[in-house]
Amino acid sequence: MENGAVYNETTEPQAKPPRCPFACTRRHLRPWRLSAKALQAILSLLAVICEEIVEDCIKCGGLYVFEFVSCSAFLLSLLILCVYCTDVYETFGEDKVQRM
């Protein structure tokens, strides 16, 4: 009997460390990109709040477009931060994240 066969049968594979699904990491975003995305989320949230302060308007079409764009920018920047700063990036894989 070879030594390799004995060790292969009795040795347990190395277990992966348990991953917390909401652990925050900065591996995938450079510090300047992380701060830019956080600033984008803060400014777009501020735009949504400022838009909600307006009570009366004569032509509200532009205001509704601004509300839609600022709310969409806020939600998408939060999504990007969640994907790149949690373990979702490793779970889905780099190719699927890039396609998304």
Side-chain angles (χ1 to χ4, degrees):
M1 193 185 296
E2 295 179 15
N3 289 337
V6 173
Y7 287 119
N8 286 338
E9 293 174 4
T10 59
T11 305
E12 292 183 13
Q14 185 176 5
K16 294 181 181 178
R19 293 189 323 185
C20 180
F22 300 110
C24 187
T25 181
R26 295 184 304 175
R27 284 185 288 216
H28 306 293
L29 281 179
R30 296 183 190 118
W32 65 272
R33 287 193 70 176
L34 179 63
S35 59
K37 284 297 172 190
L39 182 65
Q40 178 184 4
I42 291 168
L43 290 177
S44 58
L45 178 63
L46 182 66
V48 171
I49 292 171
C50 288
E51 185 277 329
E52 291 297 326
I53 292 173
V54 176
E55 293 179 8
D56 293 326
C57 62
I58 297 171
K59 294 184 179 182
C60 296
L63 189 64
Y64 293 143
V65 170
F66 178 74
E67 178 184 12
F68 173 75
V69 169
S70 59
C71 186
S72 298
F74 175 67
L75 293 176
L76 288 175
S77 61
L78 281 182
L79 176 67
I80 289 171
L81 283 173
C82 289
V83 167
Y84 281 101
C85 293
T86 60
D87 285 337
V88 173
Y89 191 84
E90 282 95 13
T91 303
F92 289 140
E94 184 177 353
D95 57 333
K96 290 183 182 177
V97 170
Q98 295 297 328
R99 275 190 283 163
M100 182 179 71

